[in-house]
Amino acid sequence: MSEVEVSQVHSNDSKTQDFEREPVPAHLRKKWLSMALVWIAIGIDLSAMFLGAELGNGMNLADSLTATMVGSLILGLIGALCAYVGAKTGLSTAMISRFLFGNMGARVVSVVLGVFSLGWFGVQAGFFASNMQTAFHKLWGIDLSLGLLSFIGGVLMMSTAIWGYRSIERLSTWSVPLLVIFIAIAIFTAFHQQGSSAIWVPISGSPIPMGTAISLVIGIFIVGTVLSPDIARWARTPKHAVTAAFIGFFVGNSFMTVIAIFLSRLMDTDDLTNIFIMLGLGLPAIIVLTLAQWTTNTNNLYSASLGFSVVFNRIPKKLITVIAGLIATLLAVFGIYDKFLSFLNVITSFVSPIGGIYTAEYLLVNAKKFTFEGIDRNKNWVIRSLVVWVAATFFAYMTTAAPDGFGWFELTRVPALDAFIFAFIVQWIVGKIMTKKG
């Protein structure tokens, strides 16, 4: 069955459809606020919280806040750029790749996107389990295995991804206010116990340079900006998508990091789980740990399922999500979390260039070819885009410090951002040259 024919086979109940292989219909598109809440919820995760605690322990208040704001601003701008393409096409990142790499080339890209999203799901589920284990032990003296907690967390986070974007939207709508309430209680309690003077005391941890801090803020979430079409395709207009993405990535990424900076400086530790327990907020700590990771990790599996839906186009997306979710959960159970930093470097090097390629192609080379009606007439392989992708990934490894990269030189100090910029510029130049020849 061709892609256009697939688009004509609609379920009687459109509320259960996720339009993984076709544009989202105009009458189902969302306003910017509901989408911004989804991105804010995705940005409020344990990684951002623990990064903020680390920055607060290794920098003075002004420097740590500056690094967070600058890094989040860059993420917001990249996210808005990528979201614009998603809203204009109404398609997922994996489907957009068909215009860039060809119908067969896109399958390679979709597998890469899917595999890395699954791996990241496993890493984050393991991260959740590790912190939940600490919380249960310190609060109630209960020792639960990491494997069991990883399995419980993975299944929980998988549950909303199965039902698609609208389920994630509902989760975000009620979880974000609840998270904000509990975080506000924690901040108020910390200030009440320690006094405001504590935030100005000299740092107790190892100093963190400004460039390193900004790179950490960007690197921790740049893959999410590249995959933003998966959410932005639901936007009512490109303006709604750009507004929601910028606010979502800027606020969502910075909110928990800033809160964690204040908490770590007030309590003089970068152990965020222990901070909540020291403040006497045991149950809120459990709720924050659960919701923060649930809202983020369900999107990782959602993106993975969208990628695999392009490859296995005859299998229902819900079944793909269940199978992928179980595989990713098993990765968490067997300890992929232990490879966190190395995996983060690999995923950012491979995925970041894809965002640079599709934004350059759409904005500067040939936007007219991004039409769903003609998608089956695409070439099987578009060599120039594949070459740019490989070159940009190699470039990222050149700017990544050893042992995970070659460490030959530095550009922005953020290898993932280096790869995005390199891919954008080269795709633009090569695309213009090849288009003129054609």
Side-chain angles (χ1 to χ4, degrees), residues 305-339:
S305 66
L306 289 174
F308 289 128
S309 292
V310 171
V311 181
F312 306 105
N313 54 20
R314 296 182 182 275
I315 302 176
K317 177 175 162 290
K318 288 181 182 177
L319 180 58
I320 290 174
T321 307
V322 171
I323 295 171
L326 290 174
I327 292 172
T329 299
L330 287 176
L331 289 175
V333 171
F334 289 116
I336 192 176
Y337 168 63
D338 295 333
K339 304 295 183 182

Side-chain angles (χ1 to χ4, degrees), residues 239-311:
K239 185 177 180 181
H240 280 274
V242 169
T243 303
F246 180 79
I247 293 174
F249 283 111
F250 181 69
V251 175
N253 191 72
S254 62
F255 175 76
M256 280 310 302
T257 306
V258 169
I259 293 298
I261 286 171
F262 277 99
L263 286 175
S264 67
R265 293 197 60 75
L266 286 167
M267 306 303 293
D268 194 27
T269 177
D270 59 1
D271 185 342
L272 202 66
T273 305
N274 198 41
I275 286 174
F276 275 91
I277 294 171
M278 287 165 61
L279 293 172
L281 301 173
L283 186 59
I286 297 293
I287 294 173
V288 168
L289 287 170
T290 302
L291 287 181
Q293 209 61 1
W294 187 357
T295 53
T296 300
N297 221 16
T298 192
N299 188 65
N300 292 326
L301 183 56
Y302 180 58
S303 290
S305 66
L306 289 174
F308 289 128
S309 292
V310 171
V311 181

Side-chain angles (χ1 to χ4, degrees), residues 79-131:
L81 197 65
C82 295
Y84 178 81
V85 179
K88 290 290 286 186
T89 61
L91 298 170
S92 68
T93 311
M95 285 296 291
I96 289 171
S97 70
R98 292 184 62 174
F99 301 110
L100 302 163
F101 303 101
N103 290 331
M104 294 303 295
R107 295 193 174 201
V108 176
V109 175
S110 297
V111 167
V112 170
L113 289 173
V115 168
F116 281 145
S117 293
L118 281 193
W120 193 233
F121 180 96
V123 168
Q124 295 283 3
F127 196 27
F128 164 83
S130 176
N131 289 285

